[in-house]
Amino acid sequence: GGWGGGVRPGGKGRGGCSLRPCRWNGAAGVCESEAAWAATVRAFFGSVPALICGPVTAMVRARVARSTFEQGMARHSPADQLFIHRRALRALSSLLGDKAYMLGDAPTEADCAAFAICDNILAAAWPNPLADYARAECRNLEAYCARVRAAWFAGG
């Protein structure tokens, strides 16, 4: 009870399997795409003094690359990573379907996780082929993000 929609404790179900691989897309995208990395530096390190910005961002990039490798995603080829992430987005999109939120009409913890993942992938500041795929093939996710953003961050 309480988990609904095929999501079971321990991440074993439609929801768990769809969220876990997507969580690392931002990390993999940041390390592999120069355009995404440049956007990350502007967004997160724009106020860092120029004298230390280069060394700090190089250290962060190396740590993200290492953790992504240790987690396992970076051990796959870029094409395989994209395949895995696309499959995960399709599962997430399918789980959402035409519902307002992941598990029905009211937001749950699953929506906190799903929104964070989807909004990060779809953010215009971080161009990536997964965002293009989500906009073309998983259209309900973009509408979902807009709906959640409007409901939860209306004052921001």
Side-chain angles (χ1 to χ4, degrees):
W3 286 89
V7 179
R8 297 186 301 273
K12 295 178 181 158
R14 289 184 297 166
C17 70
S18 66
L19 297 177
R20 207 172 296 118
C22 285
R23 187 176 337 186
W24 290 95
N25 174 63
V30 164
C31 292
E32 293 184 29
S33 164
E34 291 306 315
W37 178 247
T40 300
V41 170
R42 283 191 303 277
F44 291 103
F45 303 102
S47 63
V48 174
L51 181 65
I52 63 169
C53 189
V56 168
T57 57
M59 179 188 67
V60 168
R61 190 174 193 179
R63 286 186 180 181
V64 170
R66 184 176 62 238
S67 69
T68 306
F69 181 81
E70 290 169 351
Q71 179 271 340
M73 186 55 68
R75 296 173 192 228
H76 297 285
S77 72
D80 286 348
Q81 289 180 38
L82 189 57
F83 172 81
I84 292 166
H85 292 315
R86 284 178 175 172
R87 184 177 59 190
L89 275 181
R90 277 194 311 273
L92 194 57
S93 176
S94 179
L95 177 65
L96 176 62
D98 61 357
K99 299 185 299 285
Y101 296 99
M102 285 292 153
L103 301 179
D105 294 329
T108 65
E109 291 87 354
D111 293 292
C112 293
F115 171 74
I117 292 163
C118 293
D119 201 51
N120 181 41
I121 291 168
L122 291 165
W126 284 266
N128 66 78
L130 191 57
D132 298 338
Y133 174 81
R135 286 186 187 97
E137 302 295 328
C138 305
R139 292 187 185 119
N140 61 338
L141 295 180
E142 191 165 27
Y144 167 74
C145 286
R147 183 171 50 254
V148 170
R149 196 178 311 101
W152 294 354
F153 303 102

